[in-house]
Structure formats: C-alpha cells, structure tokens
Amino acid sequence: MFLQILDSTTSPLLLDTMIVVIIPFPCDLLIHTPLQLSPLIPPLRTTMNFLCQRLSFYASIIVYGISISLIAGALISQQWIQGKVVNSKVIAMVEGKMHAGLFSGVRVLDWGLGVRTIPFSVLSELEEGTSFFGRGYWFGTVSFTAFGMLFILLAMIFCLIYGMKKQKEYITPYGIMGCTALAMLFLTGAALLFYINFSQYMIDTVLLDSQIDAGFSTKDKIWVGYSFQLFIASIIVLLLPFILLYLGRVNCFVSDRVMEKTEKKMKNRADSSVFHY
C-alpha cells in the first residue's frame, strides 16, 4: 500500500487539495478527502479588495502632495490681493498698481516723475501698525494654514503606513479620514479669515497714510488674486482622498456579483480538472 498526494497548490486554478490513497487490491479503491485551503488562500474578491485599497492609499499620497504644493505656491507668491492705484492730485503717465501676499508685496506708484516700485514687508508693517492686515486676522490665517498643512502631512504618513502594512482584513482608514477632515477645517478657516479681513479692511485701501495724503487711492479697485484661488483649490483637492478610499472599499469599480461569478467559474474549472483513478 502506498500514498500518493496530488497537491493542487501547484496550479493557480485549483482551490482545494485532493488527497488520494491508492490500495493495491483486486479492485482499486479510491478514497478522496477534500482539504479546504480557504483560510490559506484568500478568495479572489478579498485579494482584489486588499490590492485596490492599497492603491487608494498610494493615490491619496499623490493627492496630498498636490494639495501641499498648491498651498506652498500660494504662500510664497504675492498675488493674494491685486489692485489699481489712482491719483487724483497728480497727472500720472502710468496707472499705479499693487499686489501683495501674506508676507510681502509691491506697490507701483507714479508721483508724476516716473514710476516708482516700492516693495514692502507685511510683517514690518504689522509691527509698525500701518498694515492693511489686521493682526488677529493675519495671525489666524497663517496659524490655521500651518495646522492644515500639518494634518495633511499626518494623513500622508497614515497612508504610507497603511499601504505598507500586510493586510489580512479590510482596514478602515479612520486616521486618514480624520486628518483630512481636520486639514480641510483649518484651511477653510484660514480662507474665511483672510476673506473677512479683505472685505472689511483691504477693500477700502491697502496704502500707507503718507501715500493716501499724496492723493493715491485704491478704493473699490482691489480684488483677490490667483494665490487665493490656488489656496481654495488646495482645499477642494482634499475631497479626492475620500472618493479614492471609498472606491478602494467597493472593490475597485468591480461589483461583488461579478467577482462572485468569477470565483464560481474558477471553482468549476478546478473541479473539472481533478481526475479520479
């Protein structure tokens, strides 16, 4: 009497192992016992869930990188506000203009003797008390932006950890979603503080008292620039990780019914390939 084992793990099409015991009697007696390997070999649907969820984590990292890039571009630029400067006392050959960011800006003025470009620092004017920014609004805008970027970085770290983790079951990414929600909350607060400051103070003037006394004015000639629009875009982009994580949960665009049919077909092919001796 001898033992012959047909191991179906050598074939990716077979999901069960068939143990065949052959006894040399006048008639060969076949005794077969199916050995279920479902705890060892994950179903196709579960495997696809793990793969698609991992892809959603890595795709979210790219989205977070784009959001941080937009915020950084907005912070270093000087186009949060833009405007025109007119002078009612002097006949200027060139119309004045100004643009500024959260930290610095430029005023281009003409006193009748030619255009003069005057760069300025928002921080210096805040210390002197001559800035068009309110101290509380400016500090709140910068602080909320910093906290928003911090939570985006934390969400990226969670995505990296979850993506590298060996999954045995579905991971509910509470850490990623929580950090993303907090980042959106702080960034939205920063945008609101800036716009309130703009509508209350900047809309009237963004000039110094000496420049106003010289006849320069920016009343009703100020508008928000593309830097603020980039900042708003960075908030909208943060909606994408929620969509990606949801798609990773629903089996990467493939319905459960289709996956079940695929598994049944593979099982049928496995059963038809087993020979009984």
Side-chain angles (χ1 to χ4, degrees), residues 258-273:
V258 175
M259 298 302 296
E260 288 176 1
K261 291 181 180 179
T262 304
E263 290 178 6
K264 289 181 180 179
K265 288 181 180 179
M266 294 184 69
K267 284 188 176 182
N268 292 335
R269 293 179 63 184
D271 293 338
S272 62
S273 61

Side-chain angles (χ1 to χ4, degrees):
M1 183 172 64
F2 61 95
L3 179 66
Q4 181 181 359
I5 299 177
L6 300 178
D7 191 356
S8 66
T9 58
T10 57
S11 172
L13 299 177
L14 299 181
L15 299 178
D16 296 330
T17 297
M18 191 71 65
I19 300 177
V20 180
V21 179
I22 300 178
I23 305 174
F25 284 115
C27 294
D28 290 339
L29 178 63
L30 176 64
I31 303 174
H32 65 279
T33 304
L35 178 62
Q36 299 294 332
L37 289 183
S38 56
L40 301 178
I41 302 177
L44 177 61
R45 194 181 322 125
T46 306
T47 304
M48 288 299 295
N49 263 330
F50 292 165
L51 176 61
C52 294
Q53 190 182 25
R54 183 168 295 182
L55 290 176
S56 69
F57 291 149
Y58 291 131
S60 297
I61 292 177
I62 297 175
V63 174
Y64 290 132
I66 294 174
S67 179
I68 286 185
S69 299
L70 292 173
I71 296 173
L75 290 177
I76 64 176
S77 61
Q78 297 181 352
Q79 303 293 333
W80 282 70
I81 57 172
Q82 296 175 318
K84 297 179 180 180
V85 182
V86 296
N87 195 325
S88 57
K89 297 182 179 180
V90 178
I91 301 176
M93 300 298 296
V94 178
E95 187 177 45
K97 58 182 179 180
M98 73 83 56
H99 55 84
L102 294 180
F103 302 100
S104 61
V106 173
R107 298 184 180 97
V108 180
L109 307 176
D110 186 358
W111 273 270
L113 302 175
V115 176
R116 182 182 176 187
T117 301
I118 308 173
F120 63 92
S121 170
V122 174
L123 293 175
S124 298
E125 292 189 355
L126 281 172
E127 293 177 356
E128 298 170 358
T130 58
S131 177
F132 48 82
F133 266 108
R135 290 187 178 182
Y137 288 114
W138 182 89
F139 182 78
T141 301
V142 174
S143 299
F144 280 17
T145 301
F147 280 117
M149 296 181 70
L150 176 62
F151 281 110
I152 292 176
L153 291 175
L154 288 177
M156 294 178 69
I157 294 174
F158 277 119
C159 283
L160 189 61
I161 293 174
Y162 288 155
M164 296 176 63
K165 186 176 182 180
K166 293 183 179 179
Q167 295 178 246
K168 295 182 180 179
E169 60 183 7
Y170 178 78
I171 298 176
T172 304
Y174 291 118
I176 299 174
M177 294 187 294
C179 290
T180 305
L182 287 173
M184 293 183 67
L185 180 64
F186 278 109
L187 293 176
T188 302
L192 288 175
L193 287 175
F194 173 82
Y195 195 79
I196 292 173
N197 187 93
F198 170 81
S199 60
Q200 288 187 354
Y201 298 101
M202 301 180 190
I203 199 68
D204 292 328
T205 183
V206 291
L207 302 175
L208 301 177
D209 292 338
S210 59
Q211 296 166 349
I212 295 174
D213 295 338
F216 293 103
S217 174
T218 58
K219 187 175 179 60
D220 298 330
K221 294 183 181 296
I222 298 294
W223 60 89
V224 293
Y226 69 82
S227 298
F228 183 72
Q229 297 171 3
L230 288 177
F231 193 83
I232 297 298
S234 71
I235 302 174
I236 298 175
V237 165
L238 291 178
L239 293 172
L240 292 178
F242 291 103
I243 299 175
L244 291 172
L245 294 174
Y246 174 76
L247 294 178
R249 183 182 179 88
V250 296
N251 210 9
C252 198
F253 312 103
V254 181
S255 65
D256 287 340
R257 291 183 179 178
V258 175
M259 298 302 296
E260 288 176 1
K261 291 181 180 179
T262 304
E263 290 178 6
K264 289 181 180 179
K265 288 181 180 179
M266 294 184 69
K267 284 188 176 182
N268 292 335
R269 293 179 63 184
D271 293 338
S272 62
S273 61
V274 177
F275 297 94
H276 300 274
Y277 296 96

